[in-house]
Amino acid sequence: MKRALFVIVVLSMLLKACGQGSSSTSKKTREDAEQTSMLPHLSINQEGTTIQARFNTPRDFYRMETDSMSFASYLRNLPLKTPNSEVKYYNGEVKPNYGVYAAVIDLPIGKRNLHQCADAIMRLRAAYLYEQKRYKDIQFNFTNGFRVDYSEWIKGKRISVQGNTVQWKQKTTAANNPDIFWQYLEIIFSYAGTSSLSKEMQEKPINELVIGDVFIQGGFPGHAVIIVDVAIHKTTKEKIFLLAQSYMPAQEIQLLHNPQNKNLSPWYKLSEIDEELKTPEWTFKSTDLKQFHE
């Protein structure tokens, strides 16, 4: 039994990749991208350097209220690269924008092929908690269920994988700084993914979605996207939202276009989701929405 668990851990490193499965939507052509760029778009503040500052809400919508110290506020204020920037892979190569993304999040992703879909979401959650100095709340599970707490990592403990055994071992002196934090994240990226993250999160009805919730399908492959902003109609109270993702190979986080409603893009309308949510590179079920435990 232990051997089976270890095999799962090893496989998670090889098969944790996002996408490239049967659920993926077809790739857009360059012609599609050119046509998309010619469609009318909502008013965008090209000078805006955050999600909230750059992407205005449609007429008669207002942004959902958030506490300035909340995860929701952290997400909608993520820094953006300049308009028309292209997503970079971990090796510096460019991901062509065939109608996939509307903006690029300005955060480093490291130089290893690790920062994929679920990894980006865990990274955002952990970075928020790190910023709030909530170190004891930073914890994620490996694919085999082994829990890795950042509060243990900063004591100088490290993960040891020997044969069928995964355990903590004291390896160095206690320390806590951005480099130590990133080392922790890369261990999480290596042994966790959509399969483990989906089991950690709590299901919720789609009509209750808020910023910070995640559409996720756990598997090998699987995929996950995170809601980074929500707005509400002044009269009808209908919700619209913005989505962000990483993908494979490891790449920068990107704000997604809405392929189903190009006039509203990059906003997605909750009322337009029946049984499926179609994003540029993956199709989710309406029942795939989950939230982090507080």
Side-chain angles (χ1 to χ4, degrees):
M1 182 64 179
K2 289 185 178 180
R3 182 178 178 80
L5 292 177
F6 176 66
V7 169
I8 291 174
V9 173
V10 175
L11 285 176
S12 73
M13 298 182 68
L14 301 175
L15 302 175
K16 69 192 284 297
C18 310
Q20 294 193 351
S22 59
S23 297
S24 297
T25 56
S26 60
K27 292 183 178 179
K28 290 183 176 291
T29 63
R30 186 177 300 276
E31 181 180 355
D32 291 333
E34 292 172 352
Q35 291 176 350
T36 298
S37 66
M38 297 172 63
L39 290 168
H41 288 288
L42 302 172
S43 175
I44 294 177
N45 176 16
Q46 299 290 352
E47 302 299 319
T49 58
T50 66
I51 292 173
Q52 177 171 296
R54 185 172 302 176
F55 294 98
N56 299 322
T57 61
R59 182 178 179 181
D60 295 328
F61 282 84
Y62 64 92
R63 277 186 155 87
M64 175 179 285
E65 293 185 5
T66 62
D67 184 282
S68 61
M69 303 297 286
S70 67
F71 185 41
S73 180
Y74 172 82
L75 291 174
R76 67 161 45 137
N77 285 289
L78 286 170
L80 297 180
K81 289 191 170 184
T82 57
N84 301 317
S85 292
E86 293 181 300
V87 167
K88 296 287 184 67
Y89 294 121
Y90 71 100
N91 59 6
E93 294 181 3
V94 170
K95 174 181 182 176
N97 189 5
Y98 298 148
V100 173
Y101 51 90
V104 184
I105 309 301
D106 192 8
L107 292 174
I109 63 168
K111 297 182 179 180
R112 301 173 64 190
N113 189 11
L114 294 174
H115 187 270
Q116 299 179 11
C117 58
D119 311 302
I121 292 170
M122 291 185 286
R123 178 263 186 86
L124 290 173
R125 180 63 178 175
Y128 160 71
L129 296 171
Y130 184 87
E131 188 177 278
Q132 297 294 314
K133 298 183 178 180
R134 292 169 54 184
Y135 306 130
K136 291 184 178 180
D137 293 329
I138 303 174
Q139 53 186 237
F140 299 100
N141 295 340
F142 286 169
T143 300
N144 73 337
F146 185 87
R147 195 177 83 178
V148 184
D149 298 85
Y150 186 61
S151 58
E152 294 297 301
W153 189 270
I154 60 179
K155 294 176 183 177
K157 296 181 180 180
R158 297 294 181 265
I159 299 298
S160 172
V161 180
Q162 295 183 342
N164 299 326
T165 304
V166 182
Q167 62 183 347
W168 286 106
K169 283 194 174 182
Q170 190 70 40
K171 290 289 187 179
T172 186
T173 57
N176 183 14
N177 57 53
D179 288 338
I180 296 294
F181 178 58
W182 187 256
Q183 291 168 17
Y184 167 83
L185 287 179
E186 288 201 328
I187 287 294
I188 298 299
F189 299 164
S190 296
Y191 292 99
T194 57
S195 179
S196 56
L197 183 60
S198 65
K199 294 172 185 175
E200 293 182 50
M201 303 187 76
Q202 178 181 346
E203 295 181 1
K204 68 182 303 185
I206 192 171
N207 63 313
E208 297 179 9
L209 68 78
V210 295
I211 306 171
D213 289 344
V214 175
F215 285 97
I216 184 168
Q217 290 181 357
F220 306 99
H223 193 44
V225 297
I226 185 168
I227 297 170
V228 293
D229 208 348
V230 172
I232 302 170
H233 193 275
K234 295 177 181 178
T235 304
T236 66
K237 305 304 179 183
E238 179 179 16
K239 291 181 180 179
I240 58 175
F241 55 95
L242 297 174
L243 294 173
Q245 71 164 25
S246 180
Y247 207 61
M248 68 165 293
Q251 57 194 253
E252 294 175 311
I253 303 171
Q254 58 227 237
L255 189 81
L256 294 176
H257 273 303
N258 179 352
Q260 299 299 300
N261 189 336
K262 295 174 181 177
N263 289 322
L264 187 65
S265 183
W267 293 94
Y268 287 72
K269 186 179 290 187
L270 182 58
S271 65
E272 292 180 349
I273 302 173
D274 186 8
E275 296 183 354
E276 293 183 332
L277 167 66
K278 293 185 178 181
T279 70
E281 295 181 299
W282 197 266
T283 297
F284 296 91
K285 296 179 181 178
S286 59
T287 54
D288 288 334
L289 186 69
K290 295 191 176 184
Q291 65 183 1
F292 283 101
H293 293 276
E294 289 296 338

